[in-house]
Each structure stands twice: as structure tokens, then as C-alpha cells.
Amino acid sequence: MSFPNPATSVKLVLLGEAAVGKSSLVLRFVSNDFQENKEPTIGAAFLTQKCTIGERTIKYEIWDTAGQERFASLAPMYYRNAQAAIVVYDITKPASFIKARHWVKELHEQASKDITIALVGNKYDLVEDDTEEESLRKVSVEEGKGLAEEEGLLFFETSAKTSYNVNDVFIGIGSKIPEAASAGPNQIHQTNNDGRIDLTSDPNNRPRAAGDCAC
Amino acid sequence: MTLNNSQLGFNISKATPTTSTTNTNTTSTPPSSAPSIEPSHSPVGGGVGVKSSFFQNILSKSSTTVSATTEAPSTPTETVAGSQGDPATPVYDFNGSLAKPTANSSSVGVKSDLIGLFDKFDISSSEQKQPESNSQQLSDGLDHAEEHTLDESKSVSEESKEKSHLEKEDDGNSTQDTFGAEQSSKDESQQIETVEKNVAPIITIPRTRTEAKTEDVDFELEDSRESELIQQEESEESGPKEKNQEAQDVQGLSLPSTEESRNIKRKDLIDITGDVEEQSSEVEEFVLKVEETRPSINRVDSNRPRHDSHISSKINQSKVDPEEQYQQSHRPFDFQHFLAQLRRKSADPVVRYIRSFLVNFSRQGHTFTADQRINILVEFKKFMNDKFTLYEPFASMDEIDLENSREGLEKLIMNRLHIHCFPPEVSRNGGYLPEPYVKDLDDDNNFATTLEKFSWVNGTHLDIEVDELSTLMKGEVSFMDYGIAELNKINKYRAPRDKIICILNACKIIFSYLKVSNQETNADAFIPLLILIIIKAKTDHLISNIHYIEGYRGEEWLLHGETSYYLSSLQAAIGFIQNLGFDELTITEEEYNAHMEAWDAEEKQRAIIRGANKDIRQPQPQRIPLPTEQSVNQQSLSPSSVLLSSAEMFTKSISNFLSPSPSEQMRIESELPAQLREPVVLNHHELIQPQTPQPSEVDSERLKEVYNNVKEIFPTIDTSILKDLVYINRGDIDKCIDACLQFMGE
């Protein structure tokens, strides 16, 4: 490799119930970018995006999965060899959170041991202007955070619509992925990374993400 | 040196007898092709300079062949002396690697053969490095060392001299129009320079050494090519093949694109260097694609008029898409470029490694287990990767060009070894089928059965708006048909990469459809469509194809990127279909059970038909003159249509008994079967499928006649039920009989 800073490929799989905004999230992430970091793909089911985090350039290869329940059994075909996963739920739909819990469990059981998982509660825009009495929110921040802490996940609440926190998800994953993981299938488990949740992601006091991501 | 030479001579003489078994075939080729070629070449007036220089080459080649090495030693004598000792080693070894496996091929010890095959490569690789370090003299030195080998081998057999002489003429000629005409002038001059100095020996060596060995392979190739040709002529479907033809026409430049000239062309190519040239015809396919598609790609990307503007769809299809794909997921792959590089004199050792490998694999391949075949190819690709670092033009390539070379190598060898590695092909040729191949073929069959069983599944069962899919047109074809056609092309290609392209093309069409119909292009929308297309396409040997791709596609490409995603999706979709059941479909239990019962009945019926009661279905068309067209049609249809119609009937008969208004029922049902039966021809179903006439069109006379016939066959069934059955099936005698059988079964 002649490049001074070669992009390391990271296979990232998207899991979550249908219509929680998995692909919108990724499209937002991918479309916020300059043309040069983009590779055209034949459909949004597979997208790539380069992202520079500090010294490293990560090339995400983002694998979308079908969220319909009937296709749940297909997921293992997608998350095998994945170095990262984003499990998405809709904060206005409790069922989608239950499903997310299942995905997390399954990933821990079936996917690579050192997979980096981010739990993402999407559609934050729907609850942004909520009042105390009347809220569309059905899954509290605490519930999400709680699950993330239990399972050692990154946690974010995002809005694909307003792009709130979207890049942070990918930056967070990129920072957490062990250096060796991107080298290929023979990943070396990074022992000192015990994957606590990203506390800075609290939507209430989080400043807009640092701009070191090229995306 | 003398020692080496004597060993050499020994090895060669060892090799010759083994190969001479195939010589009967061999000797016949050059003479037959040579005369036919010569006339065809005289009009190919290329550049005069080019021609004459090539002519020179030919002359010089033949002169060296006949009168040993007169010319070559004169130039770099010191080089020879200086580097002789070292470069002699690789040459010897190479001979060894050529000769030994050949000698071994008769022995059955698979393991040892396998190991031997690679040991030899490895040995020669390690020793080959010595001369490499020696300097630029390397190539000259090598060549000269080879000359000596050549001399040795020459003296071994007089006969081969003549042959190589002949072949060289072919070689020169065809080089002239394939290579010479297409190469840039720079390459040409380079080529010519080197050629004049070294070519003679270099070209001659492989000739004499491998000639006999390659030839049997050549014959296989010729056969397969010929069958391809037939396919080309027979079906328009063969987009790739069409391109193949075109490629050859282009290659021939001034040659008219008549069948004859194509044949000549073909032989021509095969005769040159066997493997490499064989590929070159294949190659052009890509080059052409590249050239022809570039304009259309932009069009497609910009505002995808692919769907709006219909540009003689078939040709356009596969040309646009593969190229588009290359540009998107990798850089464009240029196989022709790789071949041009191979033709450089400095790449000659690479060519010989490939050739000897192909020859050996073709001979011994059948003795290897499935895993061994895969491993051997993986190892060989690795081995060649190392070799690429030793020889120009590969040695000085950047990573991108090198990847092109690796792609080219894979395509080249897999095009040749497909017949040994792709289970359906192995089985067709009556070869030995290792256990996993048997399993693949079984899986193929089982999957085919599953597809039949669920051929009634349509878009609504997977929550797809299927109407648009089959009515929205891309040119003259619906997206559905288009996608199906693309997927089914997978069996027309041999190299793993090409097969992948077919899969990607099918996926691409799905996305085109999603875009055109303003749906999201995510997996939620994509996967069900992919599943539907697989169900409807009924692609032969899909599972074998996937395993073949997994086994023989270089891991560097297989495990990453878009290809990997779509291949996984295809596998996931296949897995879904394999485990398909009520829970996976949006369907009422009644409907599902009806389909399943119909399937079971169909199975039973098939068993019956297979057995004693063959007369139940067969004589019908003869006795009843009216629905002949339909009967014929029905007969020629896959069993699924029978199943469908009976399933349909079953549901109908139930609902019919419940529902007081059969006419309304009819109206609804009459739309259903068209979708169910053959989505492939959905747009044309009125034309192609006359089986679903509107109720109004059903002639009451015919109904009566059919009713009478059915009554004869099934006297035990209540007449009112029979009447209903006949009416529901709109007088289709076959359907009625199926329905009655079904009814009896209950």
C-alpha cells in the first residue's frame, strides 16, 4: 500500500425493525458528504462512506438488512464477519425497542466476538418539541442507555430527518473499533477496550459533534 | 550446464511420450487450420510496417527453429555466458514442473500429485529468484538458457519442429490481427524489438514443450466454443455470446462477420497459444463492453432513461450493466489489457506457468477432491502473485494494475477450468463427481423442486406491489422479466467474476425498478423483490453457481464490498425460499393450504402418471379436438401450471360453493391466474397465454363438450359439481381433469 493513510474497511451491518429509519440514518450519514468520499453503489442497501477520525481513515461498508419480521432469519448472512453493527429502534415505537433488544442479544451470541455495536434510538425529531404532558416518546433515554450499559454498547439518539447526532454514531463506532479489527477477518481482540457506553452522547447536553469527521 | 541439459533432455523425452497419446488429435489441427487462415489473412491489410515486422518475426522464429539458434547467441553472448548457470536452473525446473506432473498423471495418488504440482511450482519459484537478483540481464539470460532447452527439445523430436513451425505461422498471423492491430504503436515497437531479439526461442519453447500437452485442451475448448457458437445462433438471449461474436469480428477487423470467418477466427485463436488466445476471444467481450457502454452508462446514471428509452434492450442490457458495475465497485476491469500484457515477451515465463498449470489441472483435475480443486487454485493464484513481482510488465505495476492482472488471471484460468470445477459441467461431461459436487447437484434439484412448489408465490404474498413490477416497462420487457433474464444469464458465463456480474445486474434491475416506482432503495424493499425474482426465474443450478463463486472467486474480492453484499443477499434469499412456509408469507391459511394440498396432489398425480395410469392425461388432447392449442400449451408448461390451476380450482371450488355469485368470483379469479401462473410473460399474457380467456369469451358450446368429456372420465362425481368445475375452469379440459382428480383425492 502506497498511501500514507490507507482507509481501513469496516463492515457495518444495520439491524432494526422495518420503518425505524435504518436506511434514512445511513443515507443521511452518506449524503452529508462531499462527492469525493463517495462511491456510487447500485442501491442504498449497500453504501460506502469514508470517514476520518483522528489519524485513521475508515471506509464504512454499510450493509442494510430487511427489517420485516419474516426476514429476521436472514440476518446472520449479513452480520457474519461484521466489525460493527448499528441496532436501530424508533423512540416512538416500544415494539421496535424490544426488537432491538433481541438483535443485540443475537449479535452477542452469533456475531464476531469483538463486534462494535451502537444502539440508536431514531426519530428524535418527533419528540424534540414535546411537552411533559404530551409526548410521542415511548422509549425513554434511560431505557436506551440502560440497555446499552448492560450490553456494552454505544448509545445515541438521532434524527435522520434533521441529521441530529447522525455523524456522531459513525464517529463513535470508528473510535471504538479496535485498530486491528479493520485489518480483516483475523481480528485481534482488543482486550483493553471494554466498550462502555458513550456518555457524551446524551442528547440533552451534547454539543454538536467534533468536526474531525470528513463526513 | 551439460548436466542440466542432459536432465533436460531426459525430462522432455519423458514428457513427450506421455503427451503423444493425444498427438493424434494434435497433429490434425495445425494443418487444417493453417490453410484456412492464410487466405483470410491476406486481406487483413493492417499496417504494412506492422505486418512486415511480424513477418520478420515469423521468419526469424522459423529459422531459429529449423536451424537451431543461429541468431540469438550472436547478440548477447556474454550475457549468456554470465548468467547461464543461474537461469538454467529455472528453465530446468520449469521443465521439471512440466514434465513430472505429466509423468505422474498416470498414477492415481491424488495427494502426491497435488503436492507435487505445487512443490514444483514452489521450487521453481524459489530458484527463479536467483537469476532475478542477477539484474536486467535476466530476461536475456533466461531466454538464452531457454534457447538451449529448446535446442535440446528440438533434437528430441523432429516432428515437433514441423509442428511448431506451422504453429508459428499461425501465431504470427493471428498476432498480427489480434494483437498487432490492437496494440498501441508504442507497444508494437516495443514488442517488435524484443521479439526480434528473443522471441524466436521464447515462443518456440512453449510450443515444443507444451504443444502436445495443450492440444488436448485445445480440443476441449474448441468443442465448448463450438457449442457456444450454437447457442449464440440459437438464442438471442445470449447477450454475452453476442458480444463474443462481435468481439471476434472486431478482432478480425476487415473480416466480414460471416459464420465462416468467425470459425476461422476461432480456430485461429485457439491454435496460437491455446490457453491464452482462447481467452482472448473471451476477453474481447469485456473490452467491447467497456467501449460500447461508456456512453450509455452516463446516460443511465444521470437520469436513468434505461427505462424510458428502450434501446434494443437485450444488447443494451448486459453491456450497460457490467460496465456500470465495474466503474462503481471497482475500476473497470480490462481483460484484454491483461492479455496484451501477457503477450509481452517479458511476461513469457508467466504465460508458461499458466499454461503448464492449466494443462496439468486439465489432466489431473478429475482426481482431486472438491476442496483440493479449490485449494489448488487458491495456491496457484498466490503462486502467480509472487511471479507477478518477478516479471515485467507485472513487476513494475502499481496496485491497481496488479489487481487487474489478478482479475485477468482468475478469469483466464477459470474460463478454462470451469469444466473441471463447476459441478453441473463436470456432471455433463460425465466426469468423476466428488462428494460435495454431488451434494451441490442434489441441492440444485431440491431447490428446483422447492421453486416449483412455491411457484404460485407472487408479490402480494411478500407485500410487494407486484402489479407495477410486471407492468412497468423497461423497454419492451417488464422489470420482472428483465431481472429474471439477467439472473438466468449466470449459467452462460464461466468465470466467477462474470457470474457475479449477472447477479449484480439482476440486483441492479431491482433497484432501477424501485427508483422508477419511487420507492426507497433499501433492503426492506430490495430483499422481497430479490426473493420474488429468484422464485420466478427458476435459475438452473443456482446453488452450484453460488458455491462455485465462493470457491473460486478470489477472497480479496469475495469478502469485501458490494459484491459481497449482493452475494450474501442472494444466499439469504435462497435460504429464505428453502425454508419458506406459511409463517413467511402474507396469505390466508386457506389459500396456503390449498396451494400445498394442490402441490401434494400434483406430486401424487405425477407419481400416478409415471406409473400405470399414463393414459389419463395423455389421450385427452386427441379425443377432444377443441382445446388442442391449450392442451399443447399446457403440456409444454412446467408442472407448476398444473399445480397452479388445480390449486386455483380448489380455492375456487370452495369459495364457489359458498358464494352465490359465481360470475363475480370468476371476474376476480380470472385476473389471479395470470399473475400466479407465469409472471415471466405478464405483459404479454394475453398473447402468449391464451389459457385465461375472459369468462365472456368462453364458448358455451365448448363448455358443454368439455363437460361431457369430463363426465365420461369421472362418472362418479356429482354432475352439478362437474358443471361447476368445468365452468370455473372455463372449459379447460386439462384443468378440469386436474380439478376432478383433486376432488376425487379428497
Side-chain angles (χ1 to χ4, degrees), chain B residues 626-681:
Chain B
L626 254 174
T628 42
E629 189 195 336
Q630 288 174 24
S631 311
V632 169
N633 207 337
Q634 187 89 6
Q635 298 282 351
S636 66
L637 280 171
S638 54
S640 66
S641 59
V642 179
L643 142 80
L644 281 171
S645 46
S646 49
E648 203 180 297
M649 168 271 140
F650 190 76
T651 35
K652 270 180 244 162
S653 59
I654 293 170
S655 51
N656 213 35
F657 290 133
L658 303 174
S659 153
S661 60
S663 61
E664 163 124 350
Q665 191 69 25
M666 285 298 300
R667 202 179 49 74
I668 298 160
E669 302 282 344
S670 68
E671 291 160 18
L672 199 73
Q675 276 183 8
L676 281 172
R677 195 171 293 108
E678 289 280 290
V680 187
V681 285

Side-chain angles (χ1 to χ4, degrees), chain B residues 582 587-599 650:
Chain B
F582 176 68
I587 191 171
T588 63
E589 204 165 344
E590 290 80 25
E591 193 188 348
Y592 182 80
N593 289 340
H595 282 300
M596 287 301 106
E597 281 163 27
W599 169 254
F650 190 76

Side-chain angles (χ1 to χ4, degrees), chain B residues 94-337:
Chain B
F94 207 179
N95 266 331
S97 71
L98 277 169
K100 281 180 207 158
T102 331
N104 282 349
S105 64
S106 54
S107 72
V108 199
V110 176
K111 273 256 166 73
S112 66
D113 271 2
L114 188 144
I115 293 158
L117 210 135
F118 279 96
D119 278 356
K120 274 154 220 152
F121 281 117
D122 287 340
I123 289 163
S124 53
S125 79
S126 61
E127 283 171 52
Q128 201 105 22
K129 275 170 193 153
Q130 295 169 355
E132 177 63 18
S133 60
N134 250 7
S135 72
Q136 325 136 328
Q137 291 175 346
L138 161 78
S139 65
D140 282 352
L142 251 177
D143 295 338
H144 283 283
E146 279 157 3
E147 265 162 42
H148 287 273
T149 356
L150 166 71
D151 293 347
E152 294 299 321
S153 60
K154 278 290 133 56
S155 58
V156 169
S157 71
E158 278 284 336
E159 185 194 79
S160 60
K161 260 191 224 166
E162 284 179 13
K163 241 186 281 168
S164 60
H165 192 104
L166 262 174
E167 280 200 7
K168 254 173 278 150
E169 279 182 15
D170 296 352
D171 196 1
N173 277 331
S174 46
T175 322
Q176 194 176 328
D177 57 26
T178 60
F179 180 66
E182 285 179 15
Q183 273 292 89
S184 68
S185 57
K186 190 177 144 202
D187 278 349
E188 268 163 23
S189 56
Q190 228 182 333
Q191 173 80 6
I192 289 154
E193 263 179 42
T194 39
V195 157
E196 276 170 8
K197 274 191 221 150
N198 304 327
V199 169
I202 291 186
I203 288 197
T204 323
I205 292 163
R207 238 349 70 63
T208 41
R209 274 210 238 112
T210 46
E211 175 174 64
K213 296 174 196 166
T214 23
E215 244 116 25
D216 54 333
V217 182
D218 286 347
F219 269 87
E220 285 171 44
L221 284 166
E222 216 162 349
D223 288 346
S224 70
R225 296 289 235 39
E226 258 153 33
S227 65
E228 275 175 30
L229 183 67
I230 291 161
Q231 282 172 14
Q232 286 172 21
E233 287 161 3
E234 278 175 357
S235 69
E236 258 218 41
E237 201 71 33
S238 58
K241 304 294 144 77
E242 276 176 62
K243 257 157 272 141
N244 216 343
Q245 287 183 348
E246 286 164 23
Q248 281 164 4
D249 295 343
V250 167
Q251 222 176 19
L253 289 177
S254 59
L255 285 177
S257 65
T258 62
E259 201 46 50
E260 270 178 284
S261 72
R262 250 179 244 135
N263 280 328
I264 291 164
K265 214 74 250 192
R266 186 161 286 128
K267 273 192 188 138
D268 194 348
L269 291 170
I270 291 161
D271 285 348
I272 315 169
T273 31
D275 33 294
V276 180
E277 300 308 331
E278 186 270 334
Q279 305 303 330
S280 82
S281 67
E282 194 75 11
V283 171
E284 248 95 29
E285 182 181 313
F286 275 99
V287 173
L288 274 184
K289 272 182 206 161
V290 172
E291 286 164 2
E292 286 170 10
T293 47
R294 263 185 196 134
S296 38
I297 291 154
N298 299 335
R299 231 186 312 132
V300 169
D301 277 348
S302 55
N303 52 357
R304 70 197 79 268
R306 268 154 99 196
H307 328 299
D308 314 323
S309 70
H310 155 238
I311 325 139
S312 82
S313 51
K314 280 285 154 56
I315 300 166
N316 201 22
Q317 276 174 26
S318 54
K319 281 177 191 165
V320 170
D321 300 332
E323 171 55 12
E324 191 183 343
Q325 171 52 33
Y326 301 152
Q327 289 207 331
Q328 288 176 353
S329 80
H330 319 280
R331 315 100 344 89
F333 165 55
D334 188 345
F335 191 38
Q336 185 57 44
H337 186 59

